[in-house]
Amino acid sequence: MTNRKIEKIIKPTSYNWVGDAFYVASMIGKEISRRRMDPFLVFDYNQTVDFSPREEPRGVGAHPHKGFETVTLAYQGRVAHKDSRGNSGVIGEGDVQWMTAGAGIMHQEYHEEEWSKQGGPFQMVQLWVNLPAKDKNTPAHYQDLKASDMPKVVLDNGDGTIDIVAGEYQGVKGLADTYSPVHLFNAYLNKNGKATFEFPNHYNTALLVISGSIKLNGEEVIEADSFVLFENNGAEQFEIEALSNDTKVLILSGEPLNEPIAHYGPFVMNTQEELVQAFEDFQNGKFGVI
C-alpha cells in the first residue's frame, strides 16, 4: 500500500511569549495557512523551557474566546484553568484540557501554584479547533481529560502505547466529544517500536515529535520538536518507528469544514457581521466574568 507523503517539515525557529507563562512557536498561520489545516486554526508549541521557582504563578489573565475550541495538551509542567462559567481545573503530564468557547467565554490560564513554587521543565501544545457554523453559538463548556482515564491501545511486541484523546484508533474511541470528525492521539513508543495510522486522504493530517526521534515510512528521519504536514495525495496510511526510548509523538487529523473563516484576535466566525456581533457581545458583558 502506498504511504502518505510528506508535504512539509517545520522546525520552529521563532517563538513569542503568551503572557509570561507560555513561550510558543506557531505552526499554523505563517508557513501553513489556516485553510490548509482546516479545521485546525492554531497550533502553538511550547518547546521545553525550564522555569525558575516563583511564588506568584506566571500566566495569562482573563481574556475572551468565541466560535471555536481550545485544546491544551500537557507534556511537562502543570497549568491551572478557570473560566466565567464556573469551571476550573489543573492539567499535568498526559492530561488534556478541552474548552469549547462556543457562544463566548472568559478564561485564564496560569502555571499551577505549587508547581510554580518548585519550577522546572515545561512543555505544552495548544490547538484551536474550529466549530462548524451551526455550532458557533453552542453554550460554552469544558472537558477535563485526565491521563489516568485516557483510552489506550497497547501495541504488540512491547512497542508502546497510543493514548486516544479524540477520534478512534484500532476500534478504541477517545474521551473527547467533538463537533466534527477529529482524531487526536499521543503515541508513546519504545526504541524500535512501530505504529501505523490511517485517515481518509482528504483529512488534513500532521504530527509533532514531542521527544526522541522517529523514522517516517521507513525513510525520513524526523527529530524532536519537528512538525510534519502530510500531503492529501490519495494515500491514507503512514508508519512511524521510534529511534530512541521515550519517544512521544502527537498525531492529529481532521475533516475540513470547508466553510468561510472570519477571524480576528480571540474570535472565529464565518462572516464579518458575525465578528462585529461577537465584539458587541463581549463589550456588553455577555461572556460573563471571572
Side-chain angles (χ1 to χ4, degrees):
M1 183 180 290
T2 303
N3 287 319
R4 198 159 187 161
K5 296 179 181 179
I6 297 170
E7 179 173 322
K8 183 175 289 189
I9 300 173
I10 300 174
K11 187 82 171 181
T13 56
S14 62
Y15 290 79
N16 63 279
W17 284 100
V18 179
D20 60 358
F22 309 99
Y23 191 55
V24 302
S26 297
M27 306 297 197
I28 299 173
K30 293 182 180 178
E31 293 192 59
I32 301 173
S33 71
R34 293 186 175 90
R35 178 62 64 189
R36 174 64 185 85
M37 276 303 294
D38 179 18
F40 305 106
L41 300 166
V42 166
F43 189 111
D44 280 351
Y45 175 45
N46 192 130
Q47 185 175 323
T48 302
V49 173
D50 282 304
F51 281 97
S52 59
R54 181 170 168 177
E55 288 293 317
E56 182 181 349
R58 302 170 176 90
V60 181
H63 57 284
H65 287 305
K66 177 178 171 64
F68 62 98
E69 302 180 287
T70 65
V71 181
T72 306
L73 302 102
Y75 296 98
Q76 298 180 86
R78 293 173 65 79
V79 170
H81 158 93
K82 187 176 181 181
D83 68 37
S84 57
R85 305 299 179 189
N87 301 302
S88 62
V90 175
I91 59 170
E93 184 176 347
D95 299 335
V96 178
Q97 178 192 94
W98 196 299
M99 187 185 75
T100 302
I105 198 167
M106 300 288 293
H107 85 141
Q108 63 184 33
E109 297 164 293
Y110 282 85
H111 291 173
E112 189 270 329
E113 186 173 3
E114 292 305 313
W115 185 88
S116 180
K117 291 177 181 178
Q118 299 297 318
F122 186 87
Q123 185 183 29
M124 301 268 166
V125 168
Q126 186 172 92
L127 298 170
W128 289 14
V129 182
N130 203 5
L131 285 169
K134 65 182 180 61
D135 298 311
K136 289 286 189 187
N137 287 308
T138 195
H141 59 278
Y142 170 70
Q143 300 176 74
D144 187 19
L145 311 176
K146 293 299 186 182
S148 57
D149 300 325
M150 205 76 70
K152 302 177 188 297
V153 170
V154 178
L155 301 173
D156 293 337
N157 306 314
D159 283 358
T161 60
I162 310 295
D163 278 13
I164 302 98
V165 179
E168 185 173 331
Y169 183 75
Q170 293 187 5
V172 179
K173 293 185 178 180
L175 286 179
D177 292 323
T178 66
Y179 287 85
S180 64
V182 169
H183 299 276
L184 193 62
F185 311 143
N186 275 317
Y188 300 90
L189 301 179
N190 300 314
K191 187 174 182 179
N192 301 320
K194 295 181 179 180
T196 300
F197 302 91
E198 185 172 339
F199 306 108
N201 63 71
H202 70 288
Y203 279 32
N204 291 325
T205 302
L207 64 77
L208 174 72
V209 180
I210 300 294
S211 64
S213 59
I214 63 170
K215 184 176 286 186
L216 188 56
N217 293 330
E219 298 176 352
E220 188 86 25
V221 174
I222 311 295
E223 302 293 345
D225 305 322
S226 299
F227 183 89
V228 176
L229 173 66
F230 290 95
E231 290 184 358
N232 300 81
N233 63 349
E236 297 186 342
Q237 77 166 26
F238 59 91
E239 179 191 74
I240 62 175
E241 177 186 356
L243 300 180
S244 56
N245 284 315
D246 193 31
T247 292
K248 299 184 184 75
V249 184
L250 171 62
I251 296 98
L252 61 153
S253 184
E255 183 174 31
L257 298 179
N258 293 322
E259 295 179 345
I261 297 173
H263 166 247
Y264 188 84
F267 306 133
V268 182
M269 305 304 293
N270 297 104
T271 67
Q272 290 300 120
E273 291 76 14
E274 290 170 343
L275 272 183
V276 171
Q277 186 62 55
F279 272 100
E280 290 181 359
D281 290 346
F282 165 58
Q283 292 168 346
N284 291 330
K286 292 186 178 181
F287 293 1
V289 295
I290 298 177

